Amino acid sequence: MILARVIGNVWSTRKEESLRGLKFLVVQPVTLTYDEAGLPKLMEFGNSLVAADQIGAGEDEIVMVASGSSARQGLSNHNIPVDATIVGIIDKETFGA
Amino acid sequence: MILARVIGNVWSTRKEESLRGLKFLVVQPVTLTYDEAGLPKLMEFGNSLVAADQIGAGEDEIVMVASGSSARQGLSNHNIPVDATIVGIIDKETFGA
Amino acid sequence: MILARVIGNVWSTRKEESLRGLKFLVVQPVTLTYDEAGLPKLMEFGNSLVAADQIGAGEDEIVMVASGSSARQGLSNHNIPVDATIVGIIDKETFGA
Amino acid sequence: MILARVIGNVWSTRKEESLRGLKFLVVQPVTLTYDEAGLPKLMEFGNSLVAADQIGAGEDEIVMVASGSSARQGLSNHNIPVDATIVGIIDKETFGA
Amino acid sequence: MILARVIGNVWSTRKEESLRGLKFLVVQPVTLTYDEAGLPKLMEFGNSLVAADQIGAGEDEIVMVASGSSARQGLSNHNIPVDATIVGIIDKETFGA
């Protein structure tokens, strides 16, 4: 899974029927590394993407995103065209907050 | 899912039978970011790709594209060789238009 | 799907039994963009890959390649270890030829 | 599969129910190459990611990570939203340790 | 599929039970291109990865690797956590050897 920061929403009135009711968040991938003292550091990488969210992640929260066919396993209907889903919100303590 | 701008069409007379009747659009991936004032900005990245379209997206519209096996879930037949499908057209308001 | 130019063949006498009888072409990914006048332009990107071909694509033709599990959907047997298949030959008119 | 070094953990209280009980490790991809004398060398590449771990890998160990739908095959429940799983800990001798 | 050169082995005593008995080779992706005279050229790209091997590829041989769920189709058990498998050894004649 990748870690990503929630940075916005997208709305799509004209879309696949099976996607109705799902919330779509814009997320910016971040990479978690640790400095010499072992303190966690987050750094942005790559391009933002859109992920379905059933967990209720809020703006700026760091989330765990599953991609590909695995992204569909967390949804109530596994047979809908979603290839990225937020599957967890990372506890702030993980980053020493 | 990625966001992408519709930039053209491709036609393919000699193709897999199961693909007959599908429309194929050329899309250019774009990444959505927000400036300090929170205003959305779109920027192109990577290489254009071809996506099947059943929603009727038009030139220059920003669409949401599902990839991999998930791309097939939005099609009437899930067992055809398609790995990228347009699953929604993003409302213009998303970009403050 | 990606677009790619057919640039060669590979032969493999020692291979998975289920792959016998399949033709394997070397293809170079290309990206399709349009100049200010809307004229299509093709540009190479990334690294060549090997794709199974049941359509009979010829050298230098521009083809549409499906990847991942979707690549197997176009084959007579869906349960063989193929992750890239040529699923269409793009009509020359697409490039204003 | 990729090789990666275990560099940390993430905790996520608010997550998909089906992920409860799984341990999530932060891993940094590494590439294994060999110098002229044939001696193995490890070098970091790309961005860290999160992988589920059922094997009990420890900090700094080099692990083998399976991605995509294959990542789910090593789990007791194949239908959960996981796209990266640690499937082996590489013996130290592999690196001449 | 990608082409790759076999450059080494990895051993993993502590691993998923379902992986027991499988051989894991380290492979370095290579891209096949052709010079003006049409002569094939191999060039390394990207990072090495680990692939399961049931064909018996030897050091320095150029192999064809299938990835993702397709990688599992070549194995006797399709439900094991493998996302890259060697599915063919490329005949030397392909490279004018």
Side-chain angles (χ1 to χ4, degrees):
Chain A
M1 287 64 70
I2 59 165
L3 296 180
R5 183 191 308 279
V6 176
I7 60 172
N9 295 57
V10 286
W11 295 272
S12 170
T13 310
R14 290 177 292 160
K15 60 177 178 270
E16 279 291 330
E17 274 311 305
S18 59
L19 299 183
R20 291 234 173 272
L22 268 178
K23 200 174 158 195
F24 293 102
L25 298 182
V26 182
V27 295
Q28 171 62 51
V30 291
T31 184
L32 175 54
T33 55
Y34 301 83
D35 63 21
E36 277 82 38
L39 290 179
K41 267 188 335 183
L42 286 174
M43 231 172 22
E44 293 192 1
F45 75 91
N47 298 289
S48 69
L49 60 134
V50 175
D53 175 40
Q54 293 188 136
I55 297 189
E59 191 112 346
D60 225 24
E61 288 198 296
I62 304 297
V63 293
M64 189 158 72
V65 178
S67 302
S69 61
S70 298
R72 292 185 272 121
Q73 309 305 316
L75 303 171
S76 44
N77 177 353
H78 289 191
N79 299 318
I80 62 174
V82 164
D83 66 18
T85 302
I86 291 172
V87 296
I89 299 169
I90 303 300
D91 299 348
K92 294 211 180 345
E93 297 71 18
T94 303
F95 311 113
Chain B
M1 289 62 70
I2 59 165
L3 296 180
R5 183 190 308 280
V6 176
I7 61 171
N9 296 57
V10 287
W11 294 274
S12 171
T13 310
R14 289 178 292 160
K15 61 176 177 270
E16 279 291 330
E17 274 311 306
S18 60
L19 299 183
R20 290 230 175 273
L22 268 178
K23 200 174 159 195
F24 292 102
L25 298 181
V26 183
V27 297
Q28 171 62 52
V30 290
T31 184
L32 175 54
T33 54
Y34 301 83
D35 64 21
E36 276 82 38
L39 290 178
K41 269 188 333 183
L42 285 175
M43 231 172 21
E44 293 192 1
F45 75 92
N47 298 291
S48 69
L49 61 133
V50 175
D53 175 40
Q54 293 187 136
I55 298 190
E59 191 111 347
D60 225 24
E61 289 198 295
I62 303 298
V63 293
M64 189 158 72
V65 177
S67 302
S69 61
S70 298
R72 292 186 273 122
Q73 309 304 316
L75 302 171
S76 44
N77 177 353
H78 289 192
N79 299 319
I80 63 174
V82 164
D83 66 16
T85 301
I86 291 172
V87 295
I89 299 169
I90 304 301
D91 299 347
K92 295 212 181 344
E93 297 70 18
T94 303
F95 311 112
Chain C
M1 288 62 71
I2 59 165
L3 296 181
R5 183 191 309 278
V6 176
I7 60 171
N9 297 57
V10 287
W11 294 273
S12 170
T13 311
R14 290 179 292 160
K15 61 175 176 272
E16 280 290 330
E17 274 312 304
S18 60
L19 300 183
R20 291 230 175 274
L22 268 178
K23 200 173 160 197
F24 293 102
L25 299 182
V26 183
V27 296
Q28 172 61 50
V30 290
T31 185
L32 175 55
T33 54
Y34 300 83
D35 63 21
E36 276 82 38
L39 290 179
K41 266 188 336 179
L42 285 175
M43 231 173 20
E44 293 191 2
F45 75 92
N47 298 289
S48 69
L49 61 133
V50 175
D53 175 39
Q54 292 187 137
I55 298 190
E59 191 111 346
D60 225 23
E61 289 198 295
I62 304 297
V63 293
M64 188 158 72
V65 178
S67 303
S69 61
S70 297
R72 292 186 271 121
Q73 309 305 315
L75 302 171
S76 43
N77 177 353
H78 288 192
N79 300 318
I80 62 174
V82 165
D83 67 16
T85 302
I86 291 172
V87 295
I89 299 169
I90 304 301
D91 300 346
K92 295 211 180 344
E93 297 70 18
T94 302
F95 311 113
Chain D
M1 288 63 71
I2 60 165
L3 295 181
R5 183 190 309 279
V6 176
I7 60 172
N9 295 58
V10 286
W11 294 273
S12 170
T13 310
R14 290 177 293 160
K15 61 176 176 273
E16 279 291 329
E17 274 312 306
S18 60
L19 299 183
R20 289 231 174 273
L22 267 178
K23 200 173 160 197
F24 293 101
L25 298 182
V26 182
V27 296
Q28 171 61 52
V30 291
T31 185
L32 175 55
T33 55
Y34 300 83
D35 63 22
E36 277 80 39
L39 290 179
K41 266 188 336 182
L42 285 174
M43 230 171 23
E44 292 191 1
F45 74 92
N47 298 289
S48 68
L49 61 133
V50 175
D53 176 40
Q54 292 188 136
I55 298 191
E59 191 112 347
D60 225 24
E61 289 199 294
I62 303 297
V63 293
M64 189 158 73
V65 177
S67 303
S69 60
S70 298
R72 292 185 272 122
Q73 309 305 316
L75 303 170
S76 43
N77 176 353
H78 290 192
N79 299 318
I80 62 174
V82 165
D83 67 17
T85 301
I86 291 172
V87 295
I89 299 169
I90 303 301
D91 300 346
K92 295 208 180 347
E93 297 71 18
T94 303
F95 311 113
Chain E
M1 286 65 69
I2 60 165
L3 295 181
R5 182 191 309 279
V6 176
I7 60 172
N9 297 57
V10 287
W11 296 271
S12 170
T13 310
R14 290 178 292 160
K15 61 176 177 271
E16 279 291 329
E17 274 311 305
S18 59
L19 299 183
R20 292 231 173 272
L22 268 178
K23 199 173 161 196
F24 293 102
L25 299 182
V26 182
V27 295
Q28 171 61 50
V30 290
T31 184
L32 175 54
T33 54
Y34 301 82
D35 64 21
E36 276 82 38
L39 289 179
K41 267 188 337 181
L42 286 174
M43 231 172 21
E44 293 192 0
F45 75 91
N47 298 289
S48 68
L49 62 132
V50 176
D53 175 40
Q54 292 187 136
I55 298 190
E59 190 111 348
D60 224 23
E61 288 198 296
I62 304 296
V63 293
M64 188 159 71
V65 178
S67 304
S69 60
S70 298
R72 291 186 273 122
Q73 309 305 316
L75 302 170
S76 44
N77 176 353
H78 289 192
N79 300 317
I80 62 174
V82 165
D83 67 16
T85 301
I86 291 172
V87 296
I89 299 169
I90 304 300
D91 300 346
K92 294 209 181 344
E93 296 71 17
T94 302
F95 312 113

